[in-house]
């Protein structure tokens, strides 16, 4: 159905500009600006009630922003380019953006196929495309059954099929792995990554942070409606990463490291802990430590990277922005060790 070849679609983008949304006196989204570029998965993280779903609805024009805007850039199904346009003003919307926002809206009495056909017909999309999408999400065999009898995982797959009907260049997926079993989660991850790899701009929210760590390339982190930061996944995780080196004379190693050892400390049993800061590369830092030890004639008996996982970094980054807290529950320890003896 699409006339513009995929190869021409490498400049899709959503740009959120100073977006705010008030419900009565509640400021749900407060001056958010970020981008969702094509070709990668942008994870959208924030504690409960931080404004993720509201932002996604505003991006799609389902809620009117109080101030600010969300703009789409790409090429639609007819091959017409659009630059920095609000979704509501674009023709051929199904080819611009597809979404999973709420998996509870399905008409239970309809079959999966008829549900998709109704959506497709409303958008001028042929039934052949419905069959393609059913096939893509592995639902061809179950398509004749009523949605009321579907498991949550089947409903989520149907939601993905619905989002893909118009072969959209932008995808907005709110909690797509909610309630999925491990096989379903793994399927969703592979699907989301491959949709981004095809050149689409993909924004996905999830509270399943271990999964987000495997899926997202970039992160937009918000708290209480406000921006905490926009990062690559590596940048976000690097902040909590240290390389530990075990040597017979830690003070000499520290001195030999010079400015590179800034922020380092000597922990228990004389282990030197050097932070991976300022966007430094882990392999480079490990090489510098090994070279400094060699120059000093120090035997390194252990060189180990201690990396915080996404959950620990997320909890640290949003500590001041948690609206709902559980009393008396410790936060996750969250450190992953990745060792390599020298
Ligand atoms: N239609 C609405 N009317 C009034 N308040 C609303 C409405 N929708 C959302 N809110 C409020 O706006 C704030 C942000 O809600 P939102 O659902 O966007 O957060 P979220 O980050 O998606 O949360 P969660 O992770 O729990 O799904 C919350 O305080 C919520 O109660």
């Amino acid at each position: 159905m699409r006339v513009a070849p995929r190869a021409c679609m490498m400049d899709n983008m959503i740009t959120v500009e100073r977006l705010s949304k008030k419900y009565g006196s509640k400021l749900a989204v407060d001056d958010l600006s970020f981008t969702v570029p094509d070709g990668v998965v942008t994870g959208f993280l924030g504690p409960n009630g931080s404004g993720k779903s509201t932002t996604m609805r505003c991006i799609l024009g389902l809620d009117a922003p109080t101030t600010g805007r969300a703009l789409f850039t790409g090429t639609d199904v007819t091959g017409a380019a659009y630059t920095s346009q609000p979704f509501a003003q674009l023709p051929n919307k199904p080819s611009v953006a597809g979404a999973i926002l709420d998996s509870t809206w399905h008409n239970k009495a309809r079959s999966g196929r008829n549900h998709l056909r109704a959506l497709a017909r409303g958008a001028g999309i042929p039934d052949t495309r419905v069959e393609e999408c059913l096939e893509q999400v592995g639902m061809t065999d179950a398509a004749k059954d009523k949605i009321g009898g579907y498991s949550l995982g089947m409903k989520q797959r149907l939601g993905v099929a619905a989002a893909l009907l118009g072969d959209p260049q932008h995808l907005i997926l709110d909690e797509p792995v909610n309630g999925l079993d491990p096989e379903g989660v793994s399927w969703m991850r592979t699907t989301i990554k491959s949709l981004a790899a095809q050149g689409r701009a993909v924004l996905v929210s999830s509270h399943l942070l271990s999964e987000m760590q495997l899926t997202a390339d970039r992160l937009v982190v918000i708290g209480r409606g406000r921006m905490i930061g926009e990062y690559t996944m590596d940048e976000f995780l690097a902040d909590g990463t240290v390389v530990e080196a075990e040597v017979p004379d830690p003070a000499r190693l520290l001195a030999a490291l010079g400015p590179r050892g800034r922020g380092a400390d000597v922990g228990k049993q004389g282990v030197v802990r050097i932070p991976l800061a300022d966007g430094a590369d882990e392999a480079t830092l490990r090489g510098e430590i090994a070279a400094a030890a060699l120059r000093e004639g120090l035997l390194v008996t252990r060189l180990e990277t201690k990396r915080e996982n996404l959950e620990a970094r997320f909890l640290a980054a949003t500590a001041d922005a948690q609206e709902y807290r559980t009393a008396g529950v410790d936060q996750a320890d969250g450190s992953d060790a990745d060792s390599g003896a020298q």
Side-chain angles (χ1 to χ4, degrees):
M1 56 181 296
R2 180 177 292 282
V3 297
R6 229 2 124 186
C8 294
M9 291 178 42
M10 293 312 288
D11 53 359
N12 305 311
M13 165 97 88
I14 303 169
T15 310
V16 174
E17 287 182 358
R18 308 209 61 177
L19 188 80
S20 296
K21 176 68 187 176
K22 248 182 163 179
Y23 294 110
S25 62
K26 171 83 191 177
L27 189 55
V29 174
D30 184 2
D31 200 20
L32 281 188
S33 296
F34 61 89
T35 56
V36 185
D38 62 10
V40 291
V41 178
T42 300
F44 196 21
L45 301 186
N48 282 133
S50 56
K52 301 180 296 297
S53 302
T54 303
T55 302
M56 287 173 150
R57 285 199 305 271
C58 287
I59 289 174
L60 290 166
L62 299 172
D63 254 344
T66 306
T67 55
R69 54 195 190 158
L71 304 170
F72 286 74
T73 296
T75 311
D76 77 12
V77 66
T78 66
Y82 47 91
T83 306
S84 299
Q85 296 291 316
F87 189 64
Q89 287 174 19
L90 286 166
N92 305 308
K93 288 184 178 57
S95 71
V96 175
I100 298 182
L101 292 180
D102 177 2
S103 54
T104 59
W105 50 267
H106 306 104
N107 180 343
K108 293 187 170 67
R110 266 201 185 141
S111 71
R113 176 174 284 113
N114 284 342
H115 168 69
L116 292 185
R117 282 185 175 175
L119 291 176
R121 282 172 194 164
I125 294 167
D127 286 355
T128 48
R129 177 65 185 161
V130 168
E131 297 309 314
E132 281 172 23
C133 291
L134 284 167
E135 175 92 31
Q136 192 170 350
V137 303
M139 287 287 287
T140 303
D141 289 348
K144 62 183 180 319
D145 302 329
K146 289 199 168 46
I147 295 173
Y150 282 3
S151 67
L152 187 53
M154 291 161 85
K155 284 185 201 155
Q156 293 284 49
R157 283 177 191 250
L158 192 67
V160 175
L164 293 179
L165 277 176
D167 193 13
Q169 297 173 315
H170 306 85
L171 285 161
I172 312 281
L173 309 175
D174 196 4
E175 301 279 353
V177 295
N178 242 5
L180 293 185
D181 66 10
E183 195 276 331
V185 168
S186 163
W187 173 81
M188 190 65 85
R189 180 197 319 141
T190 311
T191 302
I192 290 172
K193 286 170 87 81
S194 75
L195 289 167
Q198 288 161 8
R200 296 171 220 263
V202 181
L203 181 67
V204 53
S205 76
S206 178
H207 290 294
L208 201 50
L209 296 180
S210 55
E211 188 48 36
M212 193 62 107
Q213 192 167 348
L214 296 175
T215 308
D217 308 283
R218 310 172 62 250
L219 292 173
V220 172
V221 185
I222 64 171
R224 293 181 192 269
R226 307 201 71 164
M227 192 67 164
I228 290 178
E230 192 172 359
Y231 320 85
T232 66
M233 181 69 80
D234 287 346
E235 274 167 5
F236 193 64
L237 294 176
D239 257 4
T241 299
V242 294
V243 175
E244 290 190 354
E246 208 171 286
V247 288
D249 189 343
R252 234 167 82 209
L253 178 62
L254 265 184
L257 278 168
R260 199 63 202 83
R262 198 173 326 140
D265 60 42
V266 178
K268 283 183 211 144
Q269 282 110 30
V271 174
V272 188
R273 295 162 44 85
I274 304 119
L276 182 71
D278 304 330
D281 167 67
E282 179 197 334
T284 306
L285 177 58
R286 289 171 73 115
E288 285 169 352
I289 296 167
L294 193 65
R295 281 198 305 276
E296 295 297 312
L298 293 167
L299 176 68
V300 180
T301 49
R302 184 170 65 87
L303 192 61
E304 186 173 4
T305 304
K306 291 266 171 108
R307 195 177 291 121
E308 275 189 316
N309 63 28
L310 182 57
E311 181 170 292
R313 281 290 299 127
F314 172 76
L315 289 172
T318 59
D320 296 333
Q322 299 274 353
E323 215 153 330
Y324 311 102
R325 244 178 236 282
T326 313
V329 177
D330 286 342
Q331 294 194 335
D333 152 355
S335 80
D336 284 345
D338 187 14
S339 63
Q342 200 200 344

